[in-house]
Amino acid sequence: MAREISSHFSSLDVERQFHAPLLHLANMASMAPPSEAEPVGPVRGTPDALFAVRCGSIEASDVASEQAWLDLIPLSPADGESAPFAVLPPRLARMRHSASPTHRVAVVRGGEGELIALAWPAISGARHGAEEVAEVELTRNYLEGRYKELSPLHCSLLLLPLLPHAARWAEPRERSAVQRRLRLWASEEGQRVDTARRRAEAASAAAGRLPSSASGRQVFLG
């Protein structure tokens, strides 16, 4: 079991200092049932907290688009089948979104095929087992595990399903910044489309043709 789970760690970029304790938790989690639901609200804990919890899965055909962004992580295709989603355990699912999260989250398969959700500190240099530190809100990046190397605009577009859920954002300023970026993009895109349309109509008129915008209209010739 340890070998199967450990084989996933290299692709997850787990820092060496977290490898052994996280592997131990993952092996313990593989023998435990999925966790029960927890009350709604921000998740708090120490910045060096590690999590390994068994979780379930759901087929893509059974997933509502909104749910896919809030509580699920896509899995890699197995045996040529369509990739299902892993259903994050409640504690990890409740972590709110942040572009600078305290934790990274991923799902691996154990030796018997069971799914195990892992979470470890995203901050390089965090010390697991160090002196006692104050609790903070634990957060995750909802885009992690889905896309890589995205521009700020692409990130904003992909976060559209999350915008109606203000409570899912750890930093209201991040949500506001995404909204501003999208409004600016929509405005500029609208201006570009309108400019292109006007140019096309002018070119059509200069060539003696009806502009495409006149399609479907009633045109009366004197």
Side-chain angles (χ1 to χ4, degrees), residues 183-201:
R183 281 196 296 267
L184 177 61
W185 173 80
S187 174
E188 292 177 342
E189 184 67 13
Q191 291 174 10
R192 284 194 293 269
V193 170
D194 188 60
T195 299
R197 178 182 61 79
R198 290 177 183 274
R199 287 176 177 172
E201 289 182 350

Side-chain angles (χ1 to χ4, degrees), residues 39-191:
V40 175
V43 177
R44 299 190 63 82
T46 57
D48 62 354
L50 301 175
F51 301 92
V53 188
R54 279 189 64 183
C55 60
S57 64
I58 185 171
E59 292 298 328
S61 58
D62 299 325
V63 175
S65 58
E66 183 175 281
Q67 181 192 15
W69 284 94
L70 300 181
D71 305 320
L72 309 181
I73 286 184
L75 294 170
S76 299
D79 302 325
E81 300 177 359
S82 61
F85 289 86
V87 182
L88 287 176
R91 188 167 178 80
L92 300 188
R94 279 177 41 231
M95 285 185 179
R96 299 198 290 180
H97 170 75
S98 172
S100 301
T102 63
H103 282 68
R104 298 186 61 191
V105 176
V107 174
V108 300
R109 292 184 184 274
E112 301 300 323
E114 71 275 13
L115 298 174
I116 301 174
L118 307 175
W120 66 97
I123 302 174
S124 178
R127 297 181 59 191
H128 179 70
E131 61 277 4
E132 185 174 347
V133 294
E135 288 192 348
V136 298
E137 180 179 356
L138 306 184
T139 57
R140 62 186 176 93
N141 188 330
Y142 281 38
L143 296 183
E144 184 169 34
R146 301 173 184 271
Y147 308 97
K148 295 182 179 179
E149 301 177 2
L150 295 173
S151 70
L153 175 58
H154 286 156
C155 287
S156 297
L157 289 169
L158 292 168
L159 285 169
L160 268 171
L162 198 61
L163 282 179
H165 304 275
R168 287 279 188 160
W169 296 73
E171 288 289 342
R173 290 175 298 179
E174 286 188 7
R175 180 170 178 266
S176 297
V178 168
Q179 290 174 317
R180 286 195 301 271
R181 190 175 295 117
L182 290 174
R183 281 196 296 267
L184 177 61
W185 173 80
S187 174
E188 292 177 342
E189 184 67 13
Q191 291 174 10

Side-chain angles (χ1 to χ4, degrees), residues 31-43:
M31 298 181 288
S35 58
E36 297 294 329
E38 297 183 4
V40 175
V43 177

